[in-house]
Amino acid sequence: MEQDFAQARRLMVEHQIRARGVSNERVLAAMREVPRHLFVPEDLRSAAYGDHPLPIGEEQTISQPYIVAVMTELLSPEPGDRILEIGTGSGYQAAVLGRIVREVWSVERIASVAAQAERNLEAVGTANIHVVVGDGTLGLPEHAPYDGIIVTAAAPSVPEPLFDQVADGGRLVAPVGSRHLQDLVCYTRRGGDFVVRSWGGVAFVPLIGTYGWEG
């Protein structure tokens, strides 16, 4: 069975991710290595490597593999980086990042979701990912600045505290728009300014919090 999952991962990377233009070799390697099936409910494991998101409970989802790869590539993670993730979910995005960077801090609003993510991450043997329960729209200033910030839920605009926590030269990747459709945007810090690049349309669950949507 594990061999079947490993083959499914290789096919996922080649046909869903590389074939659509993702070319960062660190990202592709991480996507090949992380066992995505261990981050979805057991009854959905046979669908773990499909080209779609999946529900993980509490009205949350694990993103489509391609979108995980795109967001990771936009972040341009380097081995020495410290990354902040807003919205831990299943822990899969953090696990992918954790294969590339030095350290990941991840904030999850829902305690039960955070607890399951920690179990998932423990099951795959990660040691450089820290999950914190809290309001992700406030960021995690006690460990700032971050070389990259990735937001895995949709906000009407990027929460202002997150901009303050990006290191100079760092990037912030977030879906911004309505509750139902957003634009995936990458902000790169250049001193006191940000260079903005839009990737295209996406659909994420809403980011709930002080600087997000009301619950």
Side-chain angles (χ1 to χ4, degrees):
M1 181 64 76
E2 287 302 320
Q3 284 184 332
D4 292 341
F5 282 135
Q7 175 66 3
R9 268 198 308 284
R10 286 192 291 271
L11 293 173
M12 174 191 77
V13 169
E14 292 307 313
H15 298 306
Q16 298 176 34
I17 298 171
R18 190 194 293 273
R20 287 176 171 149
V22 175
S23 60
N24 185 306
E25 289 298 334
R26 290 193 184 108
V27 174
L28 296 171
M31 299 290 291
R32 274 192 298 268
E33 291 168 7
V34 176
R36 181 176 166 90
H37 61 280
L38 298 182
F39 291 85
V40 305
E42 195 165 351
D43 62 336
L44 294 176
R45 285 186 177 175
S46 62
Y49 297 101
D51 189 20
H52 45 66
L54 289 169
I56 59 168
E58 300 285 355
E59 299 183 344
Q60 305 299 300
T61 61
I62 180 173
S63 293
Q64 174 190 9
Y66 172 58
I67 293 298
V68 172
V70 165
M71 293 182 74
T72 306
E73 184 169 64
L74 287 173
L75 205 60
S76 295
E78 297 287 340
D81 285 354
R82 183 198 297 137
I83 302 296
L84 173 65
E85 178 189 37
I86 305 303
T88 312
S90 69
Y92 178 66
Q93 173 73 79
V96 170
L97 285 164
R99 295 294 173 110
I100 303 171
V101 305
R102 175 171 57 91
E103 187 176 36
V104 179
W105 287 89
S106 185
V107 183
E108 172 56 53
R109 180 178 62 90
I110 304 170
S112 61
V113 173
Q116 182 60 57
E118 288 187 306
R119 289 191 290 270
N120 294 344
L121 291 164
E122 184 177 357
V124 300
T126 61
N128 62 339
I129 300 170
H130 317 284
V131 178
V132 177
V133 177
D135 180 353
T137 70
L138 302 177
L140 202 62
E142 55 265 41
H143 298 289
Y146 302 95
D147 301 294
I149 298 179
I150 187 167
V151 184
T152 61
S157 60
V158 174
E160 197 62 35
L162 300 185
F163 284 119
D164 297 334
Q165 295 172 38
V166 181
D168 192 16
R171 295 188 177 196
L172 188 160
V173 176
V176 177
S178 72
R179 278 181 175 262
H180 306 293
L181 186 64
Q182 305 90 38
D183 190 22
L184 186 59
V185 182
C186 177
Y187 299 81
T188 303
R189 184 163 204 156
R190 296 284 183 254
D193 298 320
F194 284 87
V195 178
V196 184
R197 171 189 170 195
S198 173
W199 179 81
V202 289
F204 278 79
V205 298
L207 180 65
I208 308 298
T210 305
Y211 291 89
W213 296 102
E214 292 183 6

